[in-house]
């Protein structure tokens, strides 16, 4: 294959990764932005999304698309509910203190992993794609499902943006992010907002996982990579900046896809990590973050 | 509504700031809190709002205790709060800041119109982020946001701090208008002339305790109480 088509193929792979990464990382960024909680268990919400999708698809009879559509609705709701319960029973009791919540979410990470190992098992299991379509380019054929993943991620991200900027609940979240004490002085139940944001962040990770599980496989240890890459993306984009998170996801996803195809996946990870180190040294607030006052 | 604070104690963690603060303010009355820095004036207002948890004493509104309520329920009772330094949601627009206030008791277009009639300049700035407003406009918005709650009790923490004279006059005029409509107001004020111009009574705080409460009609700007309690 010539260089041009090869680059196009690599870019498409990168875009798929960027789309999934953007969804996952926006959830992490939202949680940090509003709650100031570094959620180390975020990758496990991704894993729970994938595993619950496998269960739902397995349980729903009929065509694969029906089970997948059910998973796309049920898994984010289920994982969001688990996250809201974790928030109300654990993080709230720790008064959302940064150090304590890091330790608590590390604990959650292991609890979720071991529960998945116990009830799902150690095997990686595939989930059938809802449709099988091959898009034929002049130089190569490409998975129609992967292109649908990109489109679905864009739709969800636009939905999140519209929710945050056009709805009253989004306004309340943004006000809480800016000044939680003043928010309370205007009748905002900050505990409820935090539970909602934690649930939304987890549901976004779960949505990303449901979309990706026909490409990867559901496994109880699959949360590690999305967590690491989400942190990389969120640090580069600027903690709490949703716009920065999306741009950084695009940057990391595309570079990972292209470098992995032309060189090696290991080199792609090395470059991403190097990029984080450079951002931390030269622009610690990230590309789109603001310096603390 | 009558706001009564009896023997209120409160603080931050282990640090006790208020030790038995007493004050009352009736409808159509302005009570000014004065004292030196660190006397507990701002903490007293935060204590009334529930933002600083009371460790002793009682706060009641028309005889009903409110200090046991979570902070987010206090504004819904009709208590508006203008914090020190305005504390606007700086990245939200003027309209969004006002919406946050309006949402406390259900959106009401008339209430918004009332606020915009008091501060017409805000009408031209509705789409602008509040962080980009001038100091005076920010204070108008902070007061406007609190008035969107349709408060029966209004708490103002140093509303004239850092403002130019014309803006101070506007804020004072607004407080007097609200007083005439029956709003009970507690205002923290450092400036003697402003305190005498707008308030009916002054309660002096000393080291977190309420000392004297004096009617302003009996006071002059050179009253020895100001030198004793405020150091002016």
């Amino acid at each position: 294959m010539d260089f041009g088509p090869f680059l196009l193929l690599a870019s498409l792979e990168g875009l798929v990764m960027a789309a999934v990464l953007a969804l996952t990382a926006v959830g992490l960024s939202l949680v940090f932005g509003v709650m100031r909680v570094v959620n180390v268990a975020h990758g496990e919400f991704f894993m729970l999304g994938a595993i619950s999708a496998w269960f739902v698809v397995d349980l729903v009879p009929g065509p694969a698309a029906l089970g997948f559509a059910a998973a796309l609705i049920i898994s984010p709701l289920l994982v969001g509910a688990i996250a809201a319960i974790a928030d109300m029973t654990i993080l709230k009791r720790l008064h959302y203190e940064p150090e304590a919540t890091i330790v608590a979410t590390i604990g959650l990470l292991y609890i979720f992993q071991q529960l998945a190992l116990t009830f799902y098992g150690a095997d990686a299991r595939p989930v059938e794609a809802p449709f099988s379509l091959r898009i034929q380019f002049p130089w190569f054929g490409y998975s129609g499902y992967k292109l649908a993943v990109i489109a679905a991620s864009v739709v969800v991200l636009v939905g999140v943006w519209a929710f945050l900027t056009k709805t009253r609940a989004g306004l309340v979240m943004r006000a809480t992010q800016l000044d939680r004490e003043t928010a309370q002085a205007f009748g905002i139940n900050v505990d409820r907002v935090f539970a909602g944001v934690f649930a939304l962040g987890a549901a976004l990770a779960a949505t990303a996982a449901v979309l990706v599980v026909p490409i990867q496989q559901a496994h109880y240890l699959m949360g590690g990579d999305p967590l690491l890459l989400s942190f990389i993306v969120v640090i580069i984009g600027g903690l709490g900046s949703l716009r920065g998170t999306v741009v950084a996801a695009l940057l990391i996803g595309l570079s990972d896809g292209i470098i992995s195809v032309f060189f090696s996946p290991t080199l792609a990870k090395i470059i991403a990590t190097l990029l984080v180190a450079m951002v931390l040294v030269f622009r610690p607030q990230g590309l789109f973050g603001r310096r603390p006052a | 509504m009558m706001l009564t604070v009896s023997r209120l104690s409160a603080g931050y963690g282990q640090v006790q700031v208020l030790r038995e603060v007493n004050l009352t303010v009736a409808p159509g009355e302005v009570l000014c809190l004065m004292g030196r820095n660190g006397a507990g004036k701002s903490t007293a207002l935060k204590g009334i709002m529930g933002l600083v948890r009371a460790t002793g004493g009682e706060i009641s509104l028309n005889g009903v205790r409110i200090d046991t309520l979570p902070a987010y329920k206090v504004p819904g009772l009709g208590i508006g709060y203008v914090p020190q330094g305005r504390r606007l949601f700086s990245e939200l627009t003027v309209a969004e800041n006002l919406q946050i206030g309006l949402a406390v008791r259900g959106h009401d277009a008339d209430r918004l119109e009332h606020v915009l009639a008091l501060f017409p300049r805000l009408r031209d700035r509705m789409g602008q982020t509040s962080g980009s407003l001038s100091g005076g406009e920010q204070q108008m918005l902070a007061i406007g946001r609190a008035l969107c709650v349709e408060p029966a009790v209004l708490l103002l923490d140093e509303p004239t701090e850092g403002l130019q004279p014309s803006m101070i006059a506007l804020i004072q005029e607004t407080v007097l208008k609200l007083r005439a409509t029956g709003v009970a107001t507690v205002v923290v004020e450092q400036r003697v002339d402003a305190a005498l111009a707008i308030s009916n009574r002054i309660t002096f705080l000393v080291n977190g305790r309420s000392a004297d409460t004096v009617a302003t009609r009996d006071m002059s700007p050179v009253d020895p109480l100001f030198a004793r309690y405020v150091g002016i």
Side-chain angles (χ1 to χ4, degrees):
Chain A
M1 202 186 298
D2 291 336
F3 176 76
F6 206 39
L7 182 64
L8 176 64
L9 176 65
S11 301
L12 285 172
E13 286 297 306
L15 274 178
V16 174
M17 182 176 173
V20 174
L21 191 52
L23 274 187
T24 314
V26 159
L28 187 71
S29 185
L30 197 61
V31 166
F32 180 81
V34 178
M35 302 168 69
R36 300 282 141 186
V37 166
V38 176
N39 179 18
V40 184
H42 193 66
E44 303 320 304
F45 291 132
F46 182 92
M47 177 271 290
L48 288 176
I51 283 177
S52 60
W54 181 86
F55 275 114
V56 172
V57 169
D58 194 49
L59 285 172
V60 174
L66 187 65
F68 187 82
L72 209 46
I73 295 166
I74 293 170
S75 293
L77 288 176
L78 180 69
V79 174
I82 291 169
I85 291 167
D87 171 77
M88 289 185 286
T89 54
I90 299 168
L91 303 184
K92 182 181 166 186
R93 285 167 192 267
L94 297 172
H95 308 293
Y96 302 99
E97 285 173 14
E99 295 86 355
T101 51
I102 288 175
V103 175
T105 53
I106 290 172
L108 280 174
L109 179 155
Y110 287 116
I111 290 169
F112 290 142
Q113 262 184 17
Q114 292 309 307
L115 284 173
L117 178 63
T118 305
F119 294 104
Y120 176 79
D123 297 334
R125 298 176 201 189
V127 169
E128 197 181 335
F131 59 89
S132 174
L133 174 71
R134 199 152 183 83
I135 308 288
Q136 195 57 47
F137 290 94
W139 316 278
F140 56 83
Y142 195 73
S143 160
Y145 177 72
K146 284 186 176 178
L147 294 178
V149 168
I150 297 171
S153 296
V154 171
V155 168
V156 174
L157 287 171
V158 169
V160 170
W161 172 81
F163 170 74
L164 289 174
T165 56
K166 309 286 180 199
T167 68
R168 197 174 135 195
L171 178 64
V172 162
M173 281 185 185
R174 287 186 291 140
T176 307
Q177 173 173 3
L178 292 167
D179 187 339
R180 69 174 75 163
E181 185 180 272
T182 305
Q184 285 188 85
F186 284 88
I188 294 173
N189 183 346
V190 169
D191 287 341
R192 192 181 290 174
V193 172
F194 280 8
V197 166
F198 205 60
L200 178 61
L204 285 170
T207 305
V210 177
L211 289 173
V212 88
V213 85
I215 303 169
Q216 297 180 355
Q217 290 190 358
H219 185 256
Y220 83 104
L221 289 177
M222 72 187 297
D225 266 3
L227 177 70
L228 179 66
L229 285 169
S230 293
F231 272 124
I232 287 175
V233 160
V234 166
I235 290 169
I236 292 175
L239 280 167
S241 163
L242 298 187
R243 186 173 51 140
T245 301
V246 173
V247 171
L250 208 59
L251 188 73
I252 292 297
L254 274 175
S255 69
D256 192 281
I258 292 169
I259 295 167
S260 295
V261 168
F262 281 98
F263 301 98
S264 78
T266 309
L267 182 64
K269 297 285 182 295
I270 289 172
I271 289 175
T273 314
L274 204 63
L275 201 56
V276 167
M278 286 176 65
V279 165
L280 287 174
V281 171
F282 295 109
R283 198 175 160 82
Q285 73 274 28
L287 298 179
F288 289 84
R290 285 183 311 278
R291 277 184 187 281
Chain B
M1 283 196 215
M2 171 80 89
L3 175 74
T4 309
V5 175
S6 317
R7 304 178 67 187
L8 176 66
S9 299
Y12 304 91
Q14 302 296 315
V15 183
Q16 183 88 345
V17 178
L18 302 182
R19 303 169 183 85
E20 302 206 351
V21 167
N22 298 294
L23 59 91
T24 55
V25 60
E29 186 185 36
V30 176
L31 173 74
C32 185
L33 291 184
M34 295 191 87
R36 294 172 195 268
N37 287 340
K41 308 180 293 291
S42 296
T43 307
L45 297 195
K46 285 188 175 187
I48 294 168
M49 291 305 296
L51 299 172
V52 175
R53 216 13 78 202
T55 52
E58 284 185 15
I59 305 166
S60 58
L61 198 61
N62 271 0
V64 178
R65 277 188 76 168
I66 62 168
D67 54 285
T68 50
L69 296 174
Y72 74 89
K73 287 199 172 169
V74 173
L77 302 171
I79 303 184
Y81 177 49
V82 179
Q84 186 177 22
R86 296 144 202 161
R87 303 277 293 264
L88 295 169
F89 301 111
S90 59
E91 288 177 28
L92 303 187
T93 62
V94 170
E96 287 173 329
N97 269 277
L98 294 173
Q99 270 179 45
I100 293 283
L102 287 169
V104 173
R105 301 178 90 177
H107 190 91
D108 184 338
D110 289 344
R111 215 177 315 139
L112 179 61
E113 273 309 310
H114 171 67
V115 168
L116 294 176
L118 276 174
F119 302 116
R121 207 187 294 184
L122 293 180
R123 200 185 290 276
D124 305 324
R125 303 274 189 272
M126 293 296 266
Q128 206 171 316
T129 55
S130 60
S132 67
L133 300 177
S134 70
E137 289 168 342
Q138 288 193 4
Q139 193 60 272
M140 286 181 206
L141 178 57
I143 296 174
R145 182 179 62 177
L147 294 181
C148 282
V149 175
E150 203 175 13
V153 176
L154 182 62
L155 311 179
L156 299 163
D157 198 345
E158 302 207 24
T160 60
E161 186 186 23
L163 298 184
Q164 61 188 43
S166 62
M167 202 54 70
I168 291 173
L170 176 66
I171 302 294
Q172 290 179 353
E173 188 188 321
T174 306
V175 173
L176 291 174
K177 273 184 195 170
L178 293 168
R179 184 172 80 174
T181 61
V183 174
T185 305
V186 182
V187 57
V188 170
E189 186 54 79
Q190 297 276 32
R191 295 152 39 90
V192 170
D193 56 340
L196 291 175
I198 59 173
S199 60
N200 303 91
R201 289 181 297 128
I202 298 175
T203 291
F204 293 99
L205 296 186
V206 180
N207 293 329
R209 286 192 168 84
S210 41
D212 286 326
T213 296
V214 191
T216 51
R217 65 171 180 273
D218 303 330
M219 300 180 83
S220 78
V222 291
D223 196 295
L225 287 175
F226 292 120
R228 188 192 307 167
Y229 292 123
V230 193
I232 297 169

